[in-house]
Amino acid sequence: MMSAVHPVPVITIDGPTASGKGTIAARVAGALGWHLLDSGALYRLTALKAMGSGVLLDDEAGLARCAAHLKPQFIGETVLLDGAEVTLAIRAEPVGQAASRVAVYPQLRTALLQLQRDFAQAPGLVADGRDMGTVVFPEAALKVFLTASVVSRAQRRHKQLIDKGFSANIDDLLKDLEQRDSRDMSRAVAPLKPAEGALVLDSTSLSIDDTVTRVVQAAQERGVV
Ligand code: DC
């Protein structure tokens, strides 16, 4: 992940679904001119690959094989899987639910580990997910845990889906988020929780700009940038 001589600085941003991590991570990476890892996309891609190749979502070895052979390409906002564009397909709710289901399997998580660490390239990486600070980048220079109330997260997810042209119902989304939170937080391997020493930010009543500013300030205070 890091060379002892020239460690690549990493900022991790973990948190529950629809907490705004993706937006904040992208904005912080943009502000610093650093690379970005959307680790949730890798779980979504694995789920999509399994669904498209007849691998059952409880077949741990089959899922791990899908993850091990994942050769995703991220070109700006565009995501390709085996050469086909899946940018929108991986954002659909059923794929998110499937990603949360397959993410409980240790073999699959291990298969994705090196792929994630390879994103740590100079001048730095902002990594967003559930276990970036706890498991994937335990030596990260700054760890952020971003939360927001479940109601405001459901409202954000609703807006995101409608903006992307998907249909969505706020009550269903609330139920879906609660289910997903409890599965992500209670799984045995790499459960969602703040890393030790993490800066915990509740973005319920913070604007995107304010949240980005807090993260960049914390990075400056800790001498990361
Ligand atoms: O952040 P997201 O909604 O795109 O993530 C989809 C699912 O992938 C999420 O419900 C749990 C799983 N995930 C994970 O287990 N670990 C990560 N680092 C990122 C995502």
Side-chain angles (χ1 to χ4, degrees):
M1 167 186 47
M2 294 185 187
S3 115
V5 186
H6 297 294
V8 174
V10 177
I11 295 177
T12 58
I13 304 187
D14 288 306
T17 256
S19 58
K21 305 174 269 101
T23 307
I24 302 303
R27 293 276 300 267
V28 171
L32 301 177
W34 286 12
H35 298 281
L36 177 67
L37 166 62
D38 168 8
S39 62
L42 301 180
Y43 288 87
R44 288 169 180 267
L45 286 163
T46 305
L48 192 67
K49 187 168 175 129
M51 290 155 87
S53 48
V55 172
L56 298 178
L57 297 184
D58 59 359
D59 171 5
E60 179 166 7
L63 292 168
R65 271 194 300 278
C66 289
H69 296 113
L70 207 60
K71 298 243 170 3
Q73 288 169 277
F74 295 90
I75 306 160
E77 307 252 296
T78 303
V79 187
L80 301 182
L81 180 63
D82 301 326
E85 181 170 356
V86 293
T87 316
L88 266 182
I90 58 166
R91 296 296 149 203
E93 274 307 290
V95 178
Q97 274 286 355
S100 169
R101 281 179 60 191
V102 304
V104 302
Y105 294 112
Q107 281 184 38
L108 173 150
R109 303 195 70 88
T110 304
L112 288 179
L113 214 44
Q114 195 55 48
L115 179 60
Q116 296 176 85
R117 289 180 176 157
D118 289 343
F119 278 77
Q121 305 272 342
L125 175 70
V126 181
D128 116 51
R130 304 290 187 294
D131 62 342
M132 297 296 97
T134 50
V135 175
V136 181
F137 300 108
E139 290 156 39
L142 171 64
K143 300 178 183 184
V144 178
F145 192 80
L146 193 64
T147 60
S149 72
V150 70
V151 172
S152 73
R153 289 191 285 125
Q155 286 164 346
R156 283 180 199 170
R157 176 52 54 89
H158 187 257
K159 184 173 181 314
Q160 271 173 8
L161 288 169
I162 298 293
D163 287 350
K164 290 197 166 102
F166 291 111
S167 66
N169 170 292
I170 200 114
D171 293 330
D172 291 345
L173 284 173
L174 251 177
K175 263 186 257 150
D176 177 76
L177 283 186
E178 280 166 347
Q179 244 180 40
R180 205 149 9 140
D181 283 356
S182 95
R183 186 161 45 215
D184 291 348
M185 289 189 289
S186 64
R187 67 180 175 224
V189 181
L192 171 66
K193 61 171 185 202
E196 221 181 294
L199 166 70
V200 178
L201 281 179
D202 184 335
S203 72
T204 308
S205 51
L206 282 179
S207 70
I208 292 173
D209 282 344
D210 289 342
T211 313
V212 170
T213 303
R214 298 250 188 132
V215 175
V216 172
Q217 269 172 359
Q220 286 163 343
E221 281 160 20
R222 289 168 205 219
V224 179
V225 292

